[in-house]
Amino acid sequence: MICFDDVSFRYAKGQESLKNINLKINDGDVVLVCGPSGCGKSTLVRCVNGLIPHFYEGDLTGSVSVDGIDISQTTLRKISRHVGTVFQNPRSQFFNVDTTSELAFGCENFGLEPDEIEQRINRTVNRHDLGPLMDRSIFKLSGGEKQKIACASVAVEPIDVIILDEPSANLDYKGICELQKMIEAWKEEHKTILIAEHRISYLFPYITGAILMNEGEIIKEYSAGEMTALSENDLHKLGLRAETMQDPTAVALDIHDGSENAEKLILSNMKFAYKGEKPVFDIPKMEIPAGEIVAIVGTNGAGKSTFLRCLCGMERSCKATLDVNGNVWKNKKRRQSIYMVMQDVNHQLFTDSVLEEVMISQEKEDKEEALRILEALDLKEYADKHPLALSGGQKQRVAIASAIASGRNIILFDEPTSGLDYYHMLQVSELLKQLQKAGRTVIIVTHDVELIKNACTCAIPFAS
């Protein structure tokens, strides 16, 4: 059993993130924790896996216990024998450079015999069709593939409680189906599962209950029946995603291809391979409609993120050219003229405040304009905060604000709504439309069906 007894928490130098939480989760329950970005979902689950108070500094009152163990009085090492976690950013939890060693790592720390570790890995790999990901470099996996390895590394371990923080954020349709099978298997094994998530409909067949949070408080607890009975309109009013599971590639086929638009960005001779490996892709020619919001859709591992990095000139070994209105842009020109928001925005947050982060992207600093952009993304109140002190969804919006402030005419986004709730997804959609109206070309790698339906004007299927 997981038990919260009058728990409140305030991060060091931050606002109160949890307020008077009283909650009991029984053994074998599968509980969804949902609510707007920044509502306290991640903070709540950190209290269960011991990162609060043993890693994140702050003021904790009340008590949290797992299977009768007081989390605040127990070392992280001992807690890890009971609780496993898949983080919102899976890269932050890897300890090895190859996938097979990563799966073995937790069991090795438990002191299991080599034969048992091998059996556990084989059982997990076979049960969840992970063979193609074994013996691979962690650094050469896509975001979705890393998420699968993170889930598998928890599945291998002999633990009773599993925490999932935004587990579907980087997964394609097939990956979510595989995650469903993994959750179903854990449920059959009577494991207790706590899932903080924005995309929630794929979880409805498995949950035993749900918690709605806002501003650090539990607003309401739902039974499984009550949660699944909520209409699309009900969910949207609560700020929750309501889209049912769909393959983005199939959805994208219903979007026009921009062929009526006379202007095209002509991409030529784009070929890229990591050192010593076969090409990720080989594109002799691609026409990208200018002045559109273009969705790039495809499976995890197809090379979509690598494609964006090559397009904006970040991969220097890729010598492609881009014809823009008759002007040929090689790598250097593309780096100077194209702005990219990365999938892991932590890589591009550099300054000490949110406001400075936006202003550093401006060609000429304009504080008032930067504040207007922040206000449009519900970030103005965080202008003086350090970007890395924000929630995952808030950091995502800071990176988007910086892209808008850059003033560049071609802007690339890699999964821009992966950590966003319904309201902020709509906000981002509206800002993308405004960028298009201003004559900019927006190119988005995304698995987000709601974003595609709300904002994208054309789509390009991408396959390796």
Side-chain angles (χ1 to χ4, degrees):
M1 176 183 286
I2 300 170
C3 184
F4 285 75
D5 186 7
D6 202 24
V7 174
S8 296
F9 181 75
R10 181 189 300 273
Y11 287 100
K13 299 180 181 179
Q15 65 185 37
E16 192 172 27
S17 295
L18 293 180
K19 304 172 186 177
N20 309 116
I21 302 296
N22 289 284
L23 175 68
K24 289 186 179 179
I25 298 172
N26 294 317
D27 293 344
D29 279 352
V30 181
V31 177
L32 167 65
V33 184
C34 55
S37 299
C39 70
K41 300 187 298 296
S42 294
T43 302
L44 183 83
V45 300
R46 287 170 184 164
C47 291
V48 178
N49 61 24
L51 290 178
I52 293 175
H54 300 297
F55 182 81
Y56 290 98
E57 294 182 357
D59 182 21
L60 175 69
T61 60
S63 65
V64 181
S65 62
V66 176
D67 295 337
I69 300 168
D70 188 330
I71 294 297
S72 65
Q73 302 300 315
T74 308
T75 64
L76 280 172
R77 180 181 177 85
K78 290 182 178 179
I79 295 168
S80 70
R81 292 184 171 272
H82 299 269
V83 183
T85 306
V86 177
F87 294 102
Q88 187 171 357
N89 178 8
R91 187 179 63 86
S92 65
Q93 70 185 85
F94 293 142
F95 292 89
N96 294 274
V97 297
D98 72 276
T99 55
T100 305
S101 297
E102 188 61 40
L103 262 61
F105 182 76
C107 293
E108 289 172 341
N109 278 277
F110 287 170
L112 301 183
E113 293 295 327
D115 286 347
E116 183 179 352
I117 294 174
E118 186 173 353
Q119 289 172 9
R120 285 180 169 274
I121 291 175
N122 289 338
R123 185 164 60 244
T124 299
V125 169
N126 293 333
R127 187 169 192 175
H128 302 293
D129 299 320
L130 297 172
L133 295 182
M134 292 298 95
D135 299 316
R136 296 266 304 275
S137 167
I138 291 286
F139 304 107
K140 294 177 181 177
L141 300 181
S142 72
E145 289 171 333
K146 288 175 184 174
Q147 196 82 339
K148 292 177 186 178
I149 292 300
C151 289
S153 67
V154 169
V156 169
E157 296 177 0
I159 51 176
D160 299 319
V161 178
I162 296 173
I163 304 294
L164 304 176
D165 193 359
E166 300 282 356
S168 74
N170 299 314
L171 295 181
D172 60 15
Y173 176 77
K174 182 181 177 183
I176 293 177
C177 292
E178 291 167 352
L179 176 60
Q180 285 181 306
K181 292 178 184 177
M182 198 168 283
I183 293 171
E184 184 176 23
W186 288 333
K187 188 174 181 180
E188 290 173 357
E189 294 167 4
H190 202 63
K191 294 185 185 293
T192 306
I193 310 171
L194 194 58
I195 310 169
E197 183 63 287
H198 283 303
R199 292 198 283 182
I200 60 177
S201 64
Y202 78 95
L203 294 168
F204 285 173
Y206 313 103
I207 61 172
T208 57
I211 300 163
L212 177 66
M213 295 189 68
N214 195 23
E215 296 183 351
E217 298 182 279
I218 295 178
I219 304 301
K220 187 170 181 179
E221 294 185 47
Y222 295 89
S223 68
E226 290 171 335
M227 192 68 194
T228 55
L230 293 175
S231 68
E232 180 177 308
N233 191 47
D234 292 333
L235 293 170
H236 285 169
K237 285 181 179 178
L238 296 172
L240 303 178
R241 298 292 197 102
E243 193 69 44
T244 55
M245 270 188 64
Q246 298 178 68
D247 185 347
T249 305
V251 172
L253 293 176
D254 295 330
I255 301 174
H256 76 78
D257 62 4
S259 58
E260 73 279 5
N261 191 322
E263 280 192 37
K264 305 283 184 182
L265 306 177
I266 310 298
L267 181 65
S268 302
N269 301 318
M270 178 179 278
K271 184 175 182 178
F272 180 78
Y274 291 104
K275 188 175 180 179
E277 297 194 9
K278 66 180 182 179
V280 179
F281 46 73
D282 186 353
I283 305 171
K285 183 179 179 180
M286 177 188 288
E287 294 187 349
I288 303 172
E292 301 276 359
I293 305 173
V294 184
I296 305 291
V297 296
T299 59
N300 288 136
K304 302 185 301 299
S305 296
T306 304
F307 169 75
L308 289 191
R309 292 200 303 273
C310 290
L311 182 58
C312 70
M314 289 176 60
E315 295 290 352
R316 294 174 185 266
S317 62
C318 182
K319 305 301 182 183
T321 60
L322 186 67
D323 187 315
V324 182
N325 296 325
N327 299 308
V328 176
W329 292 4
K330 295 186 178 180
N331 277 15
K332 184 177 179 180
K333 179 63 176 176
R334 297 202 306 276
R335 285 195 297 273
Q336 294 170 342
S337 306
I338 301 175
Y339 194 101
M340 178 175 171
V341 177
M342 301 178 187
Q343 188 174 52
D344 183 355
V345 296
N346 292 292
H347 290 313
Q348 59 187 123
L349 300 175
F350 304 109
T351 67
D352 293 329
S353 77
V354 168
L355 179 59
E356 289 175 359
E357 196 66 49
V358 176
M359 291 173 65
I360 200 176
S361 297
Q362 295 175 318
E363 190 171 335
K364 184 178 180 181
E365 287 192 1
D366 185 338
K367 183 177 179 180
E368 294 306 313
E369 175 62 19
L371 288 171
R372 281 194 291 271
I373 294 170
L374 290 176
E375 187 171 21
L377 284 163
D378 286 343
L379 290 169
K380 191 173 181 179
E381 64 181 293
Y382 305 105
D384 296 326
K385 287 190 173 294
H386 198 292
L388 297 181
L390 303 180
S391 73
Q394 290 165 337
K395 285 188 280 191
Q396 193 84 16
R397 283 182 278 143
V398 171
I400 293 168
S402 298
I404 294 168
S406 72
R408 298 187 183 182
N409 286 327
I410 301 175
I411 304 180
L412 314 182
F413 294 94
D414 194 354
E415 296 288 357
T417 55
S418 61
L420 301 187
D421 59 30
Y422 178 69
Y423 292 143
H424 291 115
M425 183 277 296
L426 289 181
Q427 275 187 339
V428 170
S429 296
E430 191 56 39
L431 286 168
L432 296 178
K433 294 173 187 176
Q434 290 176 20
L435 289 173
Q436 184 199 14
K437 288 178 182 177
R440 303 194 203 183
T441 301
V442 180
I443 302 172
I444 309 169
V445 162
T446 185
H447 298 298
D448 190 338
V449 170
E450 285 177 295
L451 177 66
I452 294 171
K453 288 183 174 181
N454 276 281
C456 295
T457 58
C458 60
I460 297 176
F462 195 90
S464 56

